[in-house]
Amino acid sequence: MMFFEGSEKKVEAVLKTGHNSLRALGKPFWETMVAQANATILSSVHNDDCDAYLLSESSLFVWDDRFLMLTCGTTTLVQAVTEFLKHFSQNELAMLTYQRKNEYQSHLQKSSFDEDLAALSQLLPGCAWRLGHLDGHHNYIFHSDAPYQPDANDATAELLMYHIQGPAAEYLRRNDQTVEGVRELFDWQSMLPDFQFDDFLFEPFGYSMNGIRGDRYVTVHVTPQEDSSYVSFESNLDQAELLPVLNQLLRRLNPQSYDLISFNLDAELDHDARAQRVDQALQDLAVGYRMRFAHYLVPPSQPLAAIQL
């Protein structure tokens, strides 16, 4: 049986006003950072606001004042974070968060969240939380403890889908799939108009996509293995644009369960009819974000209802 750990680790860091642009550091700096996580840069797209790098394990987005990096598998993202903190002291940072989802096979990871936390705490004062049941799906987050106030439009959502089913899942597991076929399956151009896309189809299967439009981003990662399938979507789209995208992905991929994680979305996450919310947690973070976590189970053979945010 082929196994790959799809669940991502994630870091976001924001520099204080007045600092030189992170984009000006150039690709060699970010290649070094990515290598610390045991990943490589595959390709990139750029616009006036953002550089988006597609990685061998997930994605990296760089704006002038911040960066966001996600890695999956058995990557060592914490080593990339500690490398970054060698170049930028806590006095130069406005905010940093480090996030980690529980894994299918945590014993295969190079470190635990507790070990990551110990490494980060040596370089940056902060605190950590766990949202979700310890014996079920849950999410860990560490954040710096300096006061920070995010912009009013600084909100993100993550949809993490498990055990996808149906025609789309079957195609994503086929040995003869093509990148053109995957694009047609998702229909990115219609779902996300005016975005610039960069994607990659892995061997024997697996798919990643980055999209940027101005300072807005989307990223999707597909691990379709039947016994451990996982698909993640993350974006900072505003709520009105976000909801149709989330619902289309759920309809297409038909997961048996999923998580919804959000930061500073206006309304409480809710869902009705088909999916049963079996866990939810809310935490106000000292860095100005309200983090919400919810886990849903989807009973078989019932019509899908739309997500409400």
Side-chain angles (χ1 to χ4, degrees), residues 1-4 105 205 225-228:
M1 180 182 68
M2 182 179 294
F3 173 79
F4 182 81
Q105 297 191 22
F205 36 63
Q225 284 84 332
E226 189 164 5
D227 292 328
S228 58

Side-chain angles (χ1 to χ4, degrees), residues 10-37:
K10 171 183 167 183
V11 60
E12 182 174 6
V14 181
L15 294 183
K16 291 181 178 177
T17 303
H19 203 282
N20 292 337
S21 170
L22 287 174
R23 299 179 73 189
L25 294 171
K27 185 178 178 181
F29 176 87
W30 299 107
E31 285 177 326
T32 300
M33 278 269 295
V34 169
Q36 289 292 318

Side-chain angles (χ1 to χ4, degrees), residues 19-225:
H19 203 282
N20 292 337
S21 170
L22 287 174
R23 299 179 73 189
L25 294 171
K27 185 178 178 181
F29 176 87
W30 299 107
E31 285 177 326
T32 300
M33 278 269 295
V34 169
Q36 289 292 318
N38 289 315
T40 58
I41 292 174
L42 300 176
S43 58
S44 61
V45 289
H46 312 268
N47 64 21
D48 290 342
D49 297 287
C50 181
D51 300 322
Y53 297 95
L54 204 61
L55 307 184
S56 56
E57 279 83 13
S58 296
S59 299
L60 165 68
F61 297 89
V62 184
W63 295 267
D64 287 328
D65 66 336
R66 69 186 63 209
F67 83 93
L68 169 68
M69 183 173 171
L70 305 95
T71 64
C72 56
T74 58
T75 49
T76 53
L77 181 60
V78 68
Q79 293 181 17
V81 181
T82 56
E83 176 68 21
F84 182 80
L85 293 174
K86 293 176 184 176
H87 297 273
F88 295 91
S89 70
Q90 60 179 284
N91 293 327
E92 297 173 282
L93 280 176
M95 186 279 294
L96 183 142
T97 60
Y98 177 80
Q99 196 177 334
R100 185 162 170 175
K101 179 73 173 60
N102 67 288
E103 294 96 7
Y104 279 124
Q105 297 191 22
S106 58
H107 64 282
L108 298 179
Q109 295 294 313
K110 302 295 193 298
S111 67
S112 66
F113 179 77
D114 287 345
E115 291 168 327
D116 293 353
L117 181 59
L120 293 170
S121 298
Q122 290 179 8
L123 298 170
L124 185 67
C127 58
W129 306 91
R130 187 197 80 237
L131 280 73
H133 293 310
L134 182 60
D135 59 351
H137 285 265
H138 54 271
N139 201 276
Y140 297 104
I141 185 166
F142 164 86
H143 62 79
S144 52
D145 63 1
Y148 175 71
Q149 183 57 53
D151 293 339
N153 66 347
D154 184 358
T156 61
E158 304 167 27
L159 174 62
L160 313 179
M161 292 168 278
Y162 309 95
H163 304 296
I164 59 175
Q165 311 164 93
E170 292 170 6
Y171 180 78
L172 291 166
R173 297 182 185 120
R174 280 169 44 178
N175 291 326
D176 63 344
Q177 67 180 294
T178 63
V179 69
E180 293 80 11
V182 177
R183 291 170 187 161
E184 183 178 350
L185 185 154
F186 285 107
D187 193 11
W188 297 129
Q189 293 290 348
S190 297
M191 192 185 298
L192 297 160
D194 303 320
F195 269 78
Q196 183 179 358
F197 299 105
D198 184 22
D199 61 359
F200 190 87
L201 186 65
F202 295 89
E203 296 285 348
F205 36 63
Y207 174 77
S208 289
M209 183 275 282
N210 287 341
I212 52 175
R213 186 193 67 201
D215 64 352
R216 304 291 97 178
Y217 76 93
V218 295
T219 185
V220 173
H221 302 283
V222 180
T223 301
Q225 284 84 332

